[in-house]
Amino acid sequence: GYAFGSIMTRDANARRRFCITAGMSMIAAFLIFGGVTALRAPTSTDAPPALFRMLSQSKYPPSALFLCMTLGPVIALMPVIERARGMVANVFATFGRVPLFYYLLHIPLIHASALVVRLIRDGAIHPEHFATAPFVNVPPEYRWSLGLLYLVFVVDVCILYWPCRWFAVYRSEHRQSWVRFI
């Protein structure tokens, strides 16, 4: 993420050219290598279709194909995104001004949110589920619905907006080295 900052400081035309080329190359690499891998892998009779096998990439730890399929489209769209204006663009710009600050806050907030949701849903916290992150062997009765997951995500991002906005203003007004780093 931080290495990409040097690309964003380039001349606008060079930056746009690089982003489109790099993003489209990552998308092409994902389609080619992911498709070949999905089609060549041995399958059983109840295996999902090749498209879903191709999209089922490892997030933890992130595989190269996972990074290509997630970062490629975002990098390719950077020239369009950076010209966006309006309230939504301002909200995203606020988070973009303090990425490490957001990152450091989002982890404890997600864990606290998970504890609150678990307490509300089950009446107990079940600390053994929070000993490691991510907890990948979640019993079916404790899994969240996709709707609940998105609701918690939206609430957490809305909560994080306010401290990020405060820190973005603080950062613009103060020049200490630790403030620039975060």
Side-chain angles (χ1 to χ4, degrees), residues 25-144:
S25 297
M26 292 172 77
I27 293 168
F30 169 73
L31 292 173
I32 293 166
F33 294 115
V36 168
T37 303
L39 292 173
R40 295 201 66 215
T43 60
S44 63
T45 56
D46 60 341
L51 174 65
F52 293 118
R53 291 193 314 270
M54 183 174 78
L55 292 174
S56 181
Q57 299 300 320
S58 171
K59 181 178 180 183
Y60 296 109
S63 66
L65 287 175
F66 177 83
L67 294 174
C68 284
M69 79 176 190
T70 54
L71 295 179
V74 173
I75 292 171
L77 288 173
M78 284 299 291
V80 174
I81 294 169
E82 70 182 357
R83 286 191 291 245
R85 300 289 179 260
M87 186 178 71
V88 174
N90 291 339
V91 168
F92 282 114
T94 299
F95 289 122
R97 286 185 189 104
V98 291
L100 183 58
F101 185 76
Y102 175 89
Y103 179 78
L104 293 173
L105 288 182
H106 96 281
I107 294 172
L109 180 61
I110 287 171
H111 286 285
S113 298
L115 292 171
V116 169
V117 168
R118 182 59 55 90
L119 187 61
I120 291 170
R121 285 182 65 194
D122 305 331
I125 293 178
H126 302 286
E128 67 275 8
H129 295 171
F130 298 95
T132 61
F135 182 56
V136 292
N137 298 319
V138 179
E141 63 271 15
Y142 295 121
R143 291 190 181 144
W144 295 11

